[in-house]
Amino acid sequence: MQSAMASPPVPPESFTPQPLSAWRECAHCGLVSHLPTRRPGFVADCPRCAQALWPMQRRHHSFPLACAVAALLFYLFAVLAPFLEIEAYGRFSLARLTTGPAELIAQGFGAVAALVFAVTLIFPAAKLGILIITLSGLELLPKPWLRALFRWYEPLSPWAMLDVYLLGFLVAYTRLTATALVHLDTALYALIGCMLAGAAADGSLDHEAIWSSLDSSTPGPTAPEAGAISCHRCHGLFTALPGDRCPRCTTILHPRRAHALSRGWSLTLAAAFLYIPANIYPFMAVTKLARTQDFTIMHGIIELAEVGLWPLALLVFFASITIPLMKLLTMGYILTATQQGHTEALLLRTRAWRILDLIGRWSMIDVFMVSILVALLRFGQFASVRAELGALCFAAVVVLTMFAVSEFDPRLMWDAARKDDTP
Ligand SMILES: [Zn+2]
Ligand SMILES: [Zn+2]
């Protein structure tokens, strides 16, 4: 692949953004490369930081469409059917996917309830809906509509957390089997089906091919000129002025994400501040036979280890303690290094940022575990679970760190290093 360094935008004479369809700016390091012609099965990588620029799919659009329809059917079934049944102390309780959020609201944790409801029910459905409407409407519906719709597919993806929810369920289930008889119900299998079919749709989707079939503008010059700006939503490259709208997806174009450093800092610092109460305050209170015990995150992990569930204890330790701490420290380092224009370890920092972006969502395991436990153990003085303040602080830490990572623009690291090069 040919490549050229991105030049700082100079206002072109024409004010209408022009697509540079054959070129792409790497969203992670800012290198502008020439995209190869479509070769099914081939992945076009950024020559500098190895970020996949265009994973070309072998399958026709109808395959991800069929997978998404199957996932939606599984989803509808999972929402309607019971999820788990539990029998303890001669009492019986049944939970649906919506029981957890409803119970959290009743306990006064509306914000946690809204978060769980959104990432397990609304966003997965919205993602499937967008995919089905876009793929089935390619020939039928007006392209501006589809472009306005499809631009939300990628930003929604990390927030559709059925996979993380299932892992949270696994932790809750293993805890419950110690005290009660738990029956897995049909909705659980439907949820697994939904997650697998959704992953197949995601994996076989060719974003670039969809954007080019939605694109009605005529390609502009064949090489990037000064003033080329890439869109952070649809990744197209255009000759445009900062503040123009992307001709493909109507996002406002900025050479780099606006206020990336200050937003990155404020979100990281807010998360660091909340990380302390999230670990000090109890996460949940468990009542068993009229005796109530408070659990912090660490207590929960120790309890799992004490009953011999080492793999689960390690998993929760990694997801709830290590990942958030790693995100805070790494973001602090990345932000400081960018501000000071460090030139060393650019590739390493870019990869570290990419890993943070990928794994951040898995910290939600503990929040989901609490939402499942409060939904199931509702036997008053015999056995019940209450969410506590720590759960709210921890959920806020996860959301803030996810935004801290995604609001930062890793290309700024490369820009800052280059500025230092040229006196
Ligand atoms: Zn790159
Ligand atoms: Zn765009």
Side-chain angles (χ1 to χ4, degrees):
M1 266 194 284
Q2 302 172 42
S3 53
M5 302 302 284
S7 354
V10 175
E13 277 170 24
S14 145
F15 274 70
T16 327
Q18 291 295 318
L20 297 159
S21 326
W23 295 81
R24 168 67 52 87
E25 182 185 16
C26 173
H28 289 189
C29 75
L31 184 79
V32 177
S33 342
H34 192 262
L35 284 180
T37 46
R38 197 170 185 281
R39 261 183 286 161
F42 177 75
V43 179
D45 283 337
C46 167
R48 186 156 72 179
C49 75
Q51 160 71 4
L53 297 179
W54 185 7
M56 303 171 196
Q57 301 296 333
R58 289 180 195 281
R59 297 177 201 274
H60 184 254
H61 294 333
S62 53
F63 182 79
L65 177 61
C67 293
V69 170
L72 190 68
L73 293 176
F74 277 128
Y75 170 86
L76 292 175
F77 192 80
V79 173
L80 297 173
F83 188 62
L84 280 174
E85 287 163 40
I86 185 169
E87 233 182 296
Y89 309 103
R91 286 155 182 248
F92 181 81
S93 152
L94 184 139
R96 294 174 192 280
L97 280 177
T98 46
T99 317
E103 195 62 26
L104 284 169
I105 291 176
Q107 295 186 359
F109 287 94
V112 183
L115 177 68
V116 172
F117 191 77
V119 300
T120 56
L121 289 156
I122 297 179
F123 295 155
K127 216 182 121 180
L128 290 174
I130 291 173
L131 197 55
I132 292 170
I133 295 172
T134 310
L135 292 178
S136 58
L138 276 178
E139 313 292 329
L140 305 166
L141 295 172
K143 285 184 175 175
W145 289 13
L146 292 180
R147 290 198 294 256
L149 188 69
F150 189 62
R151 66 190 276 234
W152 292 105
Y153 184 77
E154 215 181 282
L156 266 181
S157 289
W159 296 96
M161 299 194 185
L162 282 184
D163 42 0
V164 188
Y165 185 78
L166 282 167
L167 211 54
F169 161 77
L170 180 74
V171 179
Y173 175 75
T174 345
R175 270 168 185 269
L176 282 172
T177 44
T179 48
L181 211 59
V182 187
H183 304 283
L184 304 179
D185 238 315
T186 33
L188 175 71
Y189 302 108
L191 208 60
I192 296 174
C194 175
M195 186 199 79
L196 293 176
D202 239 351
S204 55
L205 191 67
D206 195 327
H207 292 245
E208 186 57 36
I210 291 178
W211 276 121
S212 45
S213 51
L214 288 177
D215 211 348
S216 47
S217 49
T218 41
T222 52
E225 294 170 344
I229 303 181
S230 80
C231 170
H232 72 268
R233 277 282 158 77
C234 71
H235 307 298
L237 189 66
F238 309 95
T239 46
L241 285 171
D244 278 344
R245 286 197 178 269
C246 167
R248 282 215 295 211
C249 74
T250 70
T251 303
I252 293 177
L253 296 171
H254 293 289
R256 295 294 179 254
R257 299 201 108 192
H259 314 295
L261 273 176
S262 53
R263 278 188 197 173
W265 268 124
S266 40
L267 290 162
T268 307
L269 289 176
F273 181 71
L274 283 170
Y275 184 74
I276 301 162
N279 280 283
I280 292 177
Y281 284 115
F283 198 75
M284 60 177 177
V286 181
T287 305
K288 262 185 213 166
L289 300 173
R291 278 185 53 199
T292 304
Q293 196 188 355
D294 282 344
F295 281 93
T296 60
I297 294 178
M298 204 60 207
H299 278 143
I301 297 168
I302 294 171
E303 198 213 20
L304 281 175
E306 275 174 349
V307 293
L309 298 166
W310 275 101
L312 275 189
L314 281 175
L315 173 82
V316 177
F317 181 78
F318 190 67
S320 304
I321 308 265
T322 320
I323 294 182
L325 195 63
M326 211 169 82
K327 280 202 288 190
L328 293 175
L329 295 176
T330 314
M331 278 313 290
Y333 167 60
I334 285 177
L335 290 164
T336 315
T338 309
Q339 262 176 341
Q340 299 184 347
H342 286 187
T343 46
E344 90 293 346
L346 272 174
L347 205 54
L348 190 77
R349 273 187 270 148
T350 309
R351 288 196 181 129
W353 179 86
R354 198 177 299 161
I355 291 171
L356 294 186
D357 197 34
L358 276 178
I359 61 173
R361 52 207 289 283
W362 291 93
S363 299
M364 284 291 284
I365 290 179
D366 255 359
V367 177
F368 292 145
M369 182 202 70
V370 172
S371 87
I372 293 163
L373 289 179
V374 296
L376 279 171
L377 288 178
R378 288 177 291 151
F379 305 120
Q381 289 299 304
F382 287 102
S384 59
V385 173
R386 271 192 59 84
E388 295 287 343
L389 187 61
L392 177 64
C393 298
F394 185 75
V397 170
V398 178
V399 173
L400 287 171
T401 46
M402 279 180 75
F403 276 122
V405 174
S406 66
E407 286 296 305
F408 177 70
D409 190 332
R411 289 171 297 180
L412 289 174
M413 296 192 276
W414 297 81
D415 294 348
R418 214 167 41 238
K419 258 183 220 141
D420 218 45
D421 272 359
T422 44

